[in-house]
Amino acid sequence: MDAQGRGRADNIDPADQWVLNPNTGEYELRLTPSAPQSSVPGPRRSDSGKTGGGGAARGRTAAGGGSPSSSPEETPDPEVPSPRRRRGAPPEEPAANRRGRRPVKKKAKAKKILLWTGGIMAFVLVGTAGAAYLYLEHLNDNITSVSDDGASTGGFSKDKAINLLVIGTDKRTGSGNEGYGDSGSVGHADTTILLHVSKDRTNATALSIPRDLIVDVPDCETKQEDGSTKVIKGTDNVRFNTSLGQDNRTPSCTVRTVTELTGIQADNFMVADFNAVKTLTTAVGGVEVCLAKDIDDEDSHLKLSKGTHTIEGEQALAFVRTRHSVGFGGDLSRIELQQQFLSALMRKLKSNDTLTSPTKMIKLAEAGTKALTVDSQLDTIDKLKDLGLELGKLNVKNLTFTTVPVVDNPAEKVAATVVVNTSTAPTVFQMIKNDVSFTEVKEQAAASKNAAAAAAAARLKGTQSAASAVRVQVMNGGAPAGSAQETLNWLQNDEGVTKSENAGNAPAELSKTTLEYAPDQADQARKLAAIMGLPGTALKPGKSVENSQGLPTMTLTLGKDFKGAGVSLTAPTTVPDTVQKSTADKVECAK
């Protein structure tokens, strides 16, 4: 029996005992002395006094992952905590013999609710984890974690951009999943999305990686159950989905493969199987999708007529698995369908009837934490909550779904796999690495960011001197060894910048290449920037130094971003027209 069923047996809906405190803007568990104890489990303590432990497991319902022998007549767990209030907030007690009621929602309080439950509107599984702390420490027992094996950055930071790898496997676990395709699958990386959230939290990009994309899977150092490590050998020119499951590869191998492919290293990862789609859509009360035509797919078992439908559970799983009945009938068409589904789910999660409903929030908390396998940096509710709150700052209209640009594999007579489109994919990867939005962001924070970008761009405008008049010293500040001399040779021999010299290593390493110059050298700086492909942000108005002849000269310091003489460092700012993309706020009908 689940928590909802038990609540009905006691004539009390446990979710209704979570009441919005108008003084704090937070939901709190309110129990009256005369009311039966809530079946919503609170923190459990073992004999040692620490949260968790088997000694308190008797108080758990099936919804909380407890014993199936629990029953309505079972004696309530005496360790359910008494009502608590936030420190510093005045007490607010419900009237005697009455359950607490939700007060009239006020606009200011509603805004605060959106903040602390913000994770659930951010990104499907991540979102539910963000709201999960409604269940307190109870939910820690739902979370399964695995080692990241050093493949990630070590975890997200609140003051940096976030890169989260969400992996959906084709592993058929749980009741009712046996009939879907390969029931013996070890769990390949069937649906993989790299979610990049900007540093200022104004925008995000969800990059889908096709399962049939040909990639090189690198060697993966993997932690074994006995604590030892084993290197699983990599393979070249294989499908991306084999980066997980194949040869006992773990999610950390998929993380390494994504880094190898895109140059972007994930901060964290999450893995979900078939059950995640079913449980999450049911918990939220269904998701509205739109079809441009009738669909009757024998493989996915989806049968829906043209128009809008609200789907959940098995039907939702069938929807995201459908491919033969949409688009060109391949995996790329299914990816677009899944992106439309995720957009619809996010709109539903963000809707007021979800955010202000304790019942749905509790269901989402349970479903989300049970559906996830996370890396070892996200193994507690507190960590998931912090991530969820960061992601919750995002407005869905600025979340762009796109796919790694690909073309049919030229090595195949009958197209079955795809390869990276080398003309457009590097631009997509570079924009994500450089934290460039795929959408036009109009928020105040973005306006400030755009103003800074405009100021940098202005440094490139104006007259330019002749190459022969450019006087510069080149220093290595983090670029590969020999870069300063390589650049000097190229400038002198190929570009006519003859008044240049090698000044050796810089006093400190820099992440970005810079060009410092005095005000009267601005025309020289603009010329050198044009020759080298330097962005306006690389130009640093300052002062000149003396070269070996005692003449004033600019200083070019090659940073870690330096890619070689003649390789432009100007980051792309717009997505190529041929790249497919959509935003989460748009309602689209599957074709």
Side-chain angles (χ1 to χ4, degrees):
M1 177 177 294
D2 62 15
Q4 294 299 313
R6 185 172 180 178
R8 286 192 296 271
D10 293 334
N11 294 320
I12 294 176
D13 183 343
D16 286 339
Q17 297 182 67
W18 289 89
V19 182
L20 178 66
N21 186 334
N23 297 303
T24 65
E26 298 183 359
Y27 284 105
E28 299 176 355
L29 180 65
R30 298 297 175 82
L31 305 176
T32 62
S34 61
Q37 289 294 306
S38 171
S39 62
V40 178
R44 299 182 310 287
R45 300 184 179 276
S46 64
D47 294 338
S48 65
K50 294 182 179 180
T51 302
R58 62 186 181 277
R60 298 173 66 186
T61 65
S67 170
S69 62
S70 301
S71 66
E73 293 77 26
E74 181 178 340
T75 302
D77 190 338
E79 294 181 352
V80 173
S82 60
R84 294 184 295 174
R85 61 187 175 88
R86 191 176 182 181
R87 182 177 297 176
E92 178 191 348
E93 296 296 333
N97 299 321
R98 292 181 62 187
R99 288 180 290 154
R101 295 185 294 109
R102 304 180 191 87
V104 176
K105 182 175 62 178
K106 296 182 180 180
K107 187 173 182 180
K109 299 304 178 185
K111 184 176 181 180
K112 193 167 185 179
I113 295 171
L114 289 177
L115 174 62
W116 69 267
T117 62
I120 71 163
M121 68 178 112
F123 195 74
V124 196
L125 304 178
V126 181
T128 59
Y133 67 107
L134 283 173
Y135 261 106
L136 305 175
E137 297 298 328
H138 155 72
L139 290 169
N140 279 322
D141 291 340
N142 287 352
I143 301 172
T144 300
S145 65
V146 295
S147 175
D148 75 340
D149 298 317
S152 69
T153 64
F156 77 96
S157 298
K158 294 182 179 181
D159 59 346
K160 296 180 181 180
I162 297 174
N163 291 305
L164 177 69
L165 192 66
V166 181
I167 308 168
T169 78
D170 58 357
K171 192 169 185 178
R172 278 70 168 163
T173 59
S175 176
N177 293 327
E178 300 85 357
Y180 293 113
D182 179 13
S183 60
S185 174
V186 294
H188 295 110
D190 199 50
T191 301
T192 304
I193 296 176
L194 177 63
L195 176 66
H196 171 84
V197 183
S198 67
K199 180 179 178 180
D200 61 12
R201 308 297 186 252
T202 62
N203 65 90
T205 303
L207 178 69
S208 292
I209 303 174
R211 67 173 191 177
D212 295 327
L213 174 64
I214 296 300
V215 297
D216 294 339
V217 178
D219 293 347
C220 299
E221 184 175 299
T222 308
K223 186 176 182 179
Q224 306 298 299
E225 291 184 1
D226 62 2
S228 64
T229 58
K230 174 184 177 181
V231 176
I232 300 176
K233 295 296 294 181
T235 50
D236 294 342
N237 296 315
V238 294
R239 280 179 165 88
F240 174 82
N241 68 343
T242 61
S243 64
L244 177 66
Q246 198 81 16
D247 300 325
N248 296 316
R249 292 187 177 113
T250 64
S252 65
C253 292
T254 303
V255 173
R256 295 185 196 277
T257 304
V258 171
T259 303
E260 184 93 358
L261 171 68
T262 66
I264 303 165
Q265 186 176 20
D267 300 307
N268 298 99
F269 65 76
M270 292 182 170
V271 185
D273 60 21
F274 275 12
N275 288 316
V277 174
K278 296 197 293 185
T279 57
L280 287 171
T281 54
T282 300
V284 80
V287 174
E288 187 176 276
V289 296
C290 179
L291 297 177
K293 63 181 180 180
D294 296 344
I295 288 183
D296 188 356
D297 193 311
E298 294 181 358
D299 293 310
S300 69
H301 313 302
L302 180 68
K303 186 174 183 179
L304 288 175
S305 59
K306 176 182 178 180
T308 58
H309 301 269
T310 299
I311 59 175
E312 63 179 83
E314 294 286 348
Q315 198 172 40
L317 178 58
F319 185 88
V320 298
R321 293 189 66 252
T322 295
R323 59 172 172 153
H324 297 303
S325 300
V326 293
F328 295 104
D331 187 51
L332 295 179
S333 296
R334 180 170 62 175
I335 286 176
E336 291 187 27
L337 189 73
Q338 291 171 346
Q339 292 174 348
Q340 293 168 20
F341 172 82
L342 292 175
S343 296
L345 179 53
M346 290 182 63
R347 291 193 296 270
K348 180 62 179 286
L349 289 171
K350 189 183 176 183
S351 64
N352 286 335
D353 67 326
T354 299
L355 290 174
T356 59
S357 169
T359 303
K360 288 183 179 179
M361 295 289 284
I362 289 174
K363 286 181 179 178
L364 283 166
E366 280 288 354
T369 51
K370 285 182 177 179
L372 293 175
T373 295
V374 299
D375 69 77
S376 47
Q377 306 295 330
L378 290 176
D379 58 356
T380 68
I381 290 301
D382 280 342
K383 294 176 182 178
L384 287 169
K385 177 199 70 175
D386 289 344
L387 175 59
L389 289 176
E390 287 302 305
L391 301 180
K393 299 172 184 178
L394 174 70
N395 189 320
V396 295
K397 72 178 182 180
N398 296 325
L399 168 59
T400 302
F401 284 96
T402 189
T403 304
V404 173
V406 296
V407 295
D408 288 338
N409 189 347
E412 297 173 337
K413 292 183 178 179
V414 179
T417 61
V418 292
V419 296
V420 168
N421 185 333
T422 56
S423 66
T424 53
T427 298
V428 171
F429 300 154
Q430 195 64 43
M431 288 181 66
I432 294 175
K433 286 179 66 175
N434 292 342
D435 202 20
V436 178
S437 175
F438 280 47
T439 60
E440 182 181 358
V441 182
K442 298 180 180 179
E443 280 79 355
Q444 184 175 358
S448 175
K449 183 177 180 180
N450 291 337
R459 296 172 195 149
L460 298 173
K461 297 178 180 179
T463 59
Q464 298 180 10
S465 68
S468 59
V470 173
R471 189 179 291 111
V472 62
Q473 66 172 14
V474 184
M475 305 183 75
N476 192 328
S483 293
Q485 187 60 44
E486 175 194 0
T487 301
L488 181 66
N489 294 339
W490 173 72
L491 287 174
Q492 292 183 342
N493 299 328
D494 296 353
E495 300 299 329
V497 184
T498 56
K499 297 176 181 177
S500 52
E501 62 183 31
N502 187 342
N505 292 327
E509 291 190 350
L510 301 177
S511 59
K512 301 287 186 180
T513 296
T514 63
L515 175 62
E516 185 175 3
Y517 57 96
D520 61 351
Q521 296 172 317
D523 56 343
Q524 295 182 46
R526 286 189 287 267
K527 181 61 176 180
L528 188 60
I531 291 173
M532 295 195 61
L534 298 178
T537 52
L539 273 60
K540 306 295 181 184
K543 60 183 181 180
S544 63
V545 295
E546 291 186 354
N547 64 8
S548 57
Q549 285 79 42
L551 299 173
T553 184
M554 301 183 295
T555 301
L556 174 66
T557 306
L558 306 178
K560 294 180 180 179
D561 63 336
F562 181 74
K563 298 179 177 62
V567 180
S568 174
L569 290 176
T570 301
T573 57
T574 58
V575 185
D577 293 337
T578 56
V579 174
Q580 166 269 331
K581 64 174 184 173
S582 62
T583 52
D585 62 320
K586 300 283 182 14
V587 178
E588 297 190 28
C589 295
K591 301 178 181 179

